[in-house]
Amino acid sequence: MKEFIKKDMLYIKAYHKFNLLFSMVFILSAAASLGNNYFAVYGVVFLAMISSSLISYDETEQFVFYAISLPKGREKLVSSKYISNLIICAFGILAALVFYLIRFWTKADWEIENMCLMLSILCFVGMGIPSFMLPFDFALGVKKGRLPSIVVIGFIFGLITYLGLVYDGGGMPNFVLLLIVLASFILYAVSWCISLKIYKKKSF
């Protein structure tokens, strides 16, 4: 498992430097302005999309055939993508937290409600997008799973927009923020299990 994750990290380092850079620029812009939170969402979307690219690389370079020949190789391949996504999205969310804290410390305009709202949404985006995308990618392949991925991203952005309209001008209750984070983890775990079941039965 560790080797699979290390391979994914090397792919990200080699092919997704600009994704990481753009992500940090968007997140920093959101933290600096405190009024354009969608910038931070875009930044985490860049990171969440990397997981599909990792599967595409494995398919293109025939790594999947090597992986499934190993003991529990299918489980390791699937799990490595979910764990790699958690790592890179956690990196983005942690960066957002640091940028927000620096902003609040330097400008002395502490808005903890805004920060908590943004972090909970980033958590939902970072885990929600792969939760819907990865089962399709593992079942159909990245090319055929592209259309469902587009639908998923549109749905998630629509949901975020809806929540923004509902709570426009007013703080979102703490229990709603906790539910968003909890639902993100539950959705991610369910998606992980579904992908494992799909890939165990997939024929090549």
Side-chain angles (χ1 to χ4, degrees), residues 14-203:
Y15 300 111
H16 290 283
K17 293 178 181 177
F18 287 108
N19 291 66
L20 297 175
L21 177 61
F22 290 149
S23 175
M24 292 303 101
V25 169
F26 276 113
I27 293 173
L28 177 58
S29 298
S33 65
L34 288 180
N36 296 307
N37 289 330
Y38 267 110
F39 283 160
V41 175
Y42 295 145
V44 175
V45 167
F46 281 133
L47 299 179
M49 294 295 291
I50 291 177
S51 54
S52 285
S53 296
L54 295 176
I55 299 174
S56 179
Y57 292 141
D58 287 348
E59 293 175 350
T60 302
E61 299 180 9
Q62 307 294 309
F63 180 80
V64 291
F65 297 106
Y66 167 74
I68 63 177
S69 68
L70 300 174
K72 296 186 178 180
R74 293 176 186 247
E75 293 91 331
K76 291 179 181 179
L77 186 66
V78 171
S79 297
S80 66
K81 298 302 177 284
Y82 279 87
I83 294 173
S84 296
N85 178 76
L86 283 178
I87 292 172
I88 57 178
C89 286
F91 167 74
I93 295 171
L94 180 61
L97 175 61
V98 171
F99 290 156
Y100 274 110
L101 291 177
I102 291 174
R103 157 77 190 209
F104 295 146
W105 180 63
T106 57
K107 297 296 183 179
D109 52 356
W110 181 262
E111 296 181 18
I112 191 170
E113 294 84 2
N114 182 75
M115 184 182 71
C116 291
L117 172 61
M118 200 61 246
L119 293 177
S120 63
I121 291 176
L122 294 183
C123 183
F124 177 71
V125 171
M127 289 191 285
I129 289 178
S131 292
F132 288 102
M133 285 174 48
L134 291 180
F136 285 109
D137 290 340
F138 283 118
L140 305 174
V142 175
K143 290 183 179 180
K144 292 182 179 179
R146 189 168 296 163
L147 179 58
S149 299
I150 295 173
V151 173
V152 165
I153 295 174
F155 168 76
I156 289 178
F157 270 91
L159 181 59
I160 293 173
T161 302
Y162 170 76
L163 290 175
L165 292 174
V166 170
Y167 292 99
D168 183 33
M172 189 176 291
N174 291 333
F175 77 91
V176 175
L177 300 181
L178 290 175
L179 285 176
I180 291 174
V181 175
L182 181 61
S184 300
F185 279 99
I186 292 175
L187 182 63
Y188 203 74
V190 171
S191 172
W192 194 333
C193 293
I194 292 174
S195 293
L196 285 172
K197 290 184 178 180
I198 289 173
Y199 214 64
K200 285 179 181 179
K201 299 178 180 179
K202 186 173 182 177
S203 59

